[in-house]
Amino acid sequence: MTLPGTPFFAMREGVMYAEEVPLPDIAARFGTPCYVYSRAALIERFSACQAALNAHPAGKNSLICYAVKVNSNLAILNLFARLGAGFDIVSGGELKRVLAAGGRADKVMFSGVGKSEAEMELALNAGIFSFNVESAAELERLNRVAGRIGRIAPISLRVNPDVDPKTHPYIATGLKTSKFGVAMNDAPDLYARAVKLPNLAVRGIDCHIGSQITDPLPFAEALERLLDLMEHLEKQGIAIHHLDLGGGFGIPYRMGEAAVSFADFLTPLLDRLQQSGQGCAIVLEPGRSLVGNAGLLLAKVEYLKMGAEKNFAVVDTAMNDLLRPALYGAWHEIVPVSPGGTEAFYDVVGPICESGDFLGQDRKLAISEGDYLAVLSAGAYSFAMSSNYNSRPRAAEIMVDGADAVLIRRRETVEESFALERIHGE
Ligand code: LLP
């Protein structure tokens, strides 16, 4: 059976494996729920992205800045750092994580609409690669903060190319109505202002049009607008050293769904860039496409609850571990780790007291109580968006490397989840 997106999770003789490790062994050793990542899959994804860039003359001088928000476990950041990645961050916290994981500050891109003065100062002192500035007010603030501490801030403006990425409205970010970036029409004046500010150095142009985009065309449309702006700026004597095209490359979530390769996304962009004669570097901020299919969420069936209208498989994981189905109606394949029992249709639900607490609905599954289920394509925006809702300790994270399974985040204890709280009063 082919599972979506990666050969590193596969069924072998009726049992699902992560690389060389049977998933029931992981469940027995570390307990459930737990996230399981394949190291080989992570390496393969990063290498495929790098190879698509290296294969093209216009991609040689490029930097892949992994979007830390997507999965910020130190082991994953460290792996990408060793493969040569830079990092796209959106908070001071993410910068600290990157540095703690051995990432290089001079390969860090700082995005986000709400950078505080303290975060700017932290990033300037660390010596990051560049700031993606998202408003006129931020431009002025960054200049002020840099001046105060005697630094020059390298910047791009994040422009809003107003293209429709045809994705879920919550994750479309390049439309005119979005809170992100500055309007294309305002960009020339803002760049003119930026070059006058003494503590800023204009380096590039940035955009990020959305996430889980499976059509290469919106990226080409966005690049076209960036090239127009670049030409305009160069006429004004403003040199652009890099174009940051953001992330957003979509992945397969459904069984049998074809993957769009990095080459499918990137080659048309690199062709266009080469044809334009612009020798500037390309920066990418991929997240989901590097980690999404490289992880799964392993859970146990607690109860089977059969009803007249619906059957429920109540599992030991829930929306606090994986919010995407509840928040976006996102589809994750759910596969029994060792199929058995009689087949029936189930809503796979967690123990949380909300009707929206489901992992999947109307799934045909051959399962019994006590069986393990794998919720697939859960490497991206999964653990990273987890919470302690219903006082549920956050799940463990395991990295599989060949025949080894290594704990990269131990399961939280309930006591840890309330350790910061104090009782007040008599
Ligand atoms: N760069 C910027 C500025 C971003 O805002 C994002 C994602 C990325 C890069 C990485 O995009 P990716 O390559 O992963 O598509 N929680 C939602 C997705 C939110 C996307 C936020 N921004 C989900 O679970 O689908």
Side-chain angles (χ1 to χ4, degrees):
M1 179 174 33
T2 343
L3 304 174
T6 178
F8 297 100
F9 298 122
M11 295 302 288
R12 281 194 226 158
E13 287 153 20
V15 181
M16 192 168 169
Y17 276 68
E19 301 189 26
E20 302 307 317
V21 185
L23 290 181
D25 289 7
I26 293 183
R29 192 169 148 206
F30 300 103
T32 55
C34 65
Y35 279 97
V36 181
Y37 308 114
S38 157
R39 189 168 184 272
L42 294 164
I43 294 173
E44 185 277 327
R45 291 283 68 209
F46 185 85
S47 309
C49 187
Q50 190 68 70
L53 290 166
N54 291 349
H56 201 289
K60 292 260 178 330
N61 191 10
S62 56
L63 180 62
I64 302 171
C65 289
Y66 167 65
V68 173
K69 64 166 82 73
V70 181
N71 186 327
S72 54
N73 185 290
L74 293 190
I76 289 177
L77 300 182
N78 174 265
L79 177 62
F80 286 144
R82 281 191 279 153
L83 294 171
F87 296 94
D88 171 59
I89 61 163
V90 291
S91 71
E94 288 190 348
L95 176 56
K96 288 186 179 175
R97 266 186 184 272
V98 166
L99 298 176
R104 277 172 48 174
D106 63 356
K107 288 186 176 182
V108 166
M109 185 66 85
F110 197 166
S111 302
V113 292
K115 302 174 193 81
S116 70
E117 296 206 0
E119 288 175 319
M120 287 174 172
E121 214 173 302
L122 189 72
L124 285 164
N125 283 328
I128 66 164
F129 178 67
S130 189
F131 289 83
N132 285 331
V133 172
E134 302 221 15
S135 64
E138 185 191 333
L139 202 64
E140 302 295 332
R141 178 187 282 189
L142 183 57
N143 176 60
R144 216 169 45 243
V145 173
R148 190 173 69 219
I149 62 171
R151 300 260 175 182
I152 300 292
I155 65 136
S156 297
L157 284 179
R158 174 169 176 181
V159 296
N160 210 327
D162 197 27
V163 298
D164 184 357
K166 301 184 187 71
T167 184
H168 192 286
Y170 282 16
I171 55 180
T173 48
L175 295 168
K176 258 187 198 152
T177 49
S178 140
K179 74 173 176 180
F180 300 100
V182 301
M184 222 20 158
N185 290 341
D186 299 339
D189 285 352
L190 280 174
Y191 271 103
R193 172 77 184 142
V195 289
K196 289 204 194 88
L197 292 172
N199 309 307
L200 302 182
V202 170
R203 305 294 304 165
I205 307 176
D206 167 50
C207 75
H208 168 77
I209 56 174
S211 195
Q212 187 51 17
I213 302 166
T214 48
D215 177 359
L217 207 63
F219 291 100
E221 286 174 17
L223 175 62
E224 220 45 62
R225 307 210 176 146
L226 259 52
L227 287 173
D228 287 347
L229 175 61
M230 184 165 169
E231 197 181 324
H232 175 90
L233 294 177
E234 300 212 315
K235 279 193 198 129
Q236 317 293 310
I238 302 174
I240 296 299
H241 303 276
H242 71 255
L243 289 183
D244 180 344
L245 302 174
F249 312 113
I251 61 166
Y253 277 97
R254 290 179 189 251
M255 214 75 92
E257 194 180 335
V260 186
S261 71
F262 282 114
D264 294 337
F265 283 118
L266 296 176
T267 310
L269 305 178
L270 296 168
D271 283 346
R272 177 67 185 92
L273 207 66
Q274 193 180 18
Q275 181 219 339
S276 77
Q278 296 286 4
C280 65
I282 285 294
V283 177
L284 299 176
E285 302 170 357
R288 188 193 314 264
S289 51
L290 297 182
V291 297
N293 292 132
L296 56 80
L297 174 58
L298 186 58
K300 189 169 77 183
V301 178
E302 294 283 2
Y303 300 101
L304 293 181
K305 195 173 164 185
M306 313 307 273
E309 298 286 320
K310 255 186 184 303
N311 303 321
F312 295 96
V314 184
V315 295
D316 65 357
T317 190
M319 65 191 287
N320 76 297
D321 294 313
L322 180 56
L323 186 60
R324 304 191 70 257
L327 187 58
Y328 312 115
W331 176 283
H332 288 259
E333 290 293 353
I334 301 177
V335 181
V337 162
S338 34
T342 29
E343 210 163 57
F345 281 90
Y346 294 98
D347 277 13
V348 180
V349 301
I352 285 182
C353 304
E354 298 238 13
S355 303
D357 180 27
F358 60 85
L359 284 304
Q361 292 171 308
D362 288 318
R363 303 300 178 92
K364 195 167 159 195
L365 299 167
I367 45 173
S368 313
E369 279 181 19
D371 283 358
Y372 295 115
L373 293 178
V375 185
L376 302 183
S377 309
Y381 303 107
S382 297
F383 184 89
M385 291 172 74
S386 67
S387 76
N388 291 119
Y389 190 37
N390 279 212
S391 287
R392 292 170 52 83
R394 259 174 294 202
E397 293 179 287
I398 319 297
M399 177 90 85
V400 170
D401 179 11
D404 294 332
V406 181
L407 187 64
I408 57 169
R409 190 183 206 271
R410 72 163 167 78
R411 187 178 309 286
E412 271 176 12
T413 65
V414 175
E415 288 72 19
E416 281 167 335
S417 78
F418 57 72
L420 304 181
E421 298 166 31
R422 290 289 172 268
I423 290 167
H424 171 71
E426 296 306 305

